[in-house]
Amino acid sequence: MLREAICEGIDVEEALENAKKELGVSDTDDYDFEVVQREEKKKFGLFGGRPAKVRVFIKETSEDKAETFLRNVLDKMQLSDIAIEKKTEESAITFELSGEEEGFVIGRRGETLDALQYLTSLVVNHNNEEGYIKVTVNVGNYRDKREKTLEILGRKLAFKAIKTGKKTSLEPMNPYERRIIHTSVQKVNGAISWSEGENANRHVVIGPDPKSSRNRRGGYNNNRRGGRRSYNGGRKSNPAPVNPDRVPLNEGGETGLYGRIDK
């Protein structure tokens, strides 16, 4: 993608400087320019004459486009003090944000941060001929903490579903966070998870797996007449085993933050 600016000046040098200033580039940046029109002095100091005109252009990479957009949005949010550190890998860009107002950037349950990431990803991948580029916008280690919290929550509610035989509905989450919950739950034998609701109200539900032999024979969730039993054959039941090799049934594939999850 090309960014360009065409500016005038009393001579070529002034026109070049004006175009560079408009594009926000310096002498150390990689840019090209062409002289569209050279200046002409007025004849006899009265007639004719014209200013110089110079075109400056730079080839903007996807990374540059993303950073420029993110910077502009933060400035509009009056967060000019937030610093941006860019890390690039093959088909992936990570922007680490830091500053005194990090909490404002994150927002409630990370909603502001997710929105920034989503919009930046749209900008990067719009008409991108280089293929899909995964964009991550993070503040400190917020996303790592959030992922671990969701993993623990999913596992805890999976064990609860096995023990009580009841399902639990979580708060609405974006597809990325729902996928983390699904992955965590599906690694616990005896519990399943699925998504319900539409659009912003879509949320995860965790319950006992009706196909599990443990649940069918009346283990933790045996609700026969006479009350729930906590023991089988007079012996205390072992907790549902964690199976790290169990393939998540509804992980959602390699989707982005707002990618599709079918289950």
Side-chain angles (χ1 to χ4, degrees):
M1 178 180 177
L2 288 177
R3 289 176 54 222
E4 65 176 23
I6 301 177
C7 292
E8 297 180 346
I10 58 175
D11 54 28
V12 171
E13 290 185 0
E14 183 177 278
L16 176 60
E17 290 301 318
N18 291 337
K20 286 165 55 182
K21 184 177 180 180
E22 183 172 320
L23 272 184
V25 300
S26 63
D27 293 335
T28 59
D29 295 323
D30 186 15
Y31 68 90
D32 292 306
F33 74 94
E34 63 177 355
V35 178
V36 178
Q37 169 181 289
R38 292 190 175 277
E39 73 276 9
E40 287 185 1
K41 295 182 179 181
K42 293 182 178 181
K43 296 180 180 179
F44 307 111
L46 298 173
F47 306 105
R50 63 182 184 183
K53 187 180 295 185
V54 173
R55 171 177 173 257
V56 175
F57 53 95
I58 58 176
K59 186 176 182 180
E60 191 176 40
T61 65
S62 298
E63 294 87 349
D64 295 333
K65 184 168 62 172
E67 185 173 9
T68 299
F69 171 78
L70 189 56
R71 180 75 274 166
N72 289 338
V73 172
L74 290 173
D75 290 345
K76 293 294 184 181
M77 294 171 64
Q78 299 182 348
L79 297 173
S80 302
D81 293 336
I82 295 294
I84 302 175
E85 182 182 352
K86 179 175 61 180
K87 301 177 182 179
T88 60
E89 299 178 0
E90 185 176 358
S91 301
I93 313 172
T94 299
F95 294 99
E96 293 286 349
L97 309 183
S98 60
E100 294 183 357
E101 298 183 271
E102 291 182 350
F104 188 77
V105 176
I106 294 173
R108 181 172 175 265
R109 294 201 308 266
E111 291 175 350
T112 303
L113 190 63
D114 289 347
L116 287 172
Q117 179 170 299
Y118 176 61
L119 294 174
T120 305
S121 180
L122 287 181
V123 170
V124 170
N125 291 291
H126 180 66
N127 294 331
N128 182 18
E129 299 177 354
E130 303 172 1
Y132 180 79
I133 297 177
K134 180 181 178 181
V135 176
T136 301
V137 180
N138 199 7
V139 173
N141 59 346
Y142 170 78
R143 294 206 180 278
D144 291 336
K145 287 183 178 179
R146 178 66 172 167
E147 182 173 344
K148 291 178 181 178
T149 299
L150 293 175
E151 288 176 350
I152 294 172
L153 176 64
R155 180 176 171 181
K156 178 180 178 181
L157 293 179
F159 286 123
K160 179 181 177 182
I162 297 170
K163 182 177 181 179
T164 65
K166 298 179 181 180
K167 64 181 182 180
T168 302
S169 297
L170 279 68
E171 64 185 16
M173 298 178 183
N174 60 56
Y176 173 76
E177 294 188 340
R178 294 201 306 270
R179 185 177 54 182
I180 295 173
I181 295 290
H182 288 316
T183 303
S184 178
V185 173
Q186 293 300 327
K187 290 182 179 180
V188 178
N189 288 332
I192 59 172
S193 62
W194 62 94
S195 294
E196 294 181 354
E198 300 295 334
N199 302 322
N201 293 321
R202 196 154 178 80
H203 58 277
V204 175
V205 181
I206 301 173
D209 187 355
K211 298 180 181 180
S212 172
S213 59
R214 169 181 292 271
N215 296 330
R216 288 201 303 270
R217 68 172 178 260
Y220 282 111
N221 61 335
N222 183 356
N223 289 318
R224 298 173 183 172
R225 185 177 299 176
R228 185 170 65 239
R229 294 166 54 190
S230 298
Y231 297 84
N232 288 327
R235 292 181 298 177
K236 188 175 180 180
S237 300
N238 294 324
V242 176
N243 183 1
D245 298 323
R246 186 180 181 198
V247 178
L249 300 178
N250 40 17
E251 188 173 348
E254 294 298 325
T255 57
L257 175 61
Y258 287 84
R260 179 179 177 185
I261 290 185
D262 293 323
K263 297 186 179 180

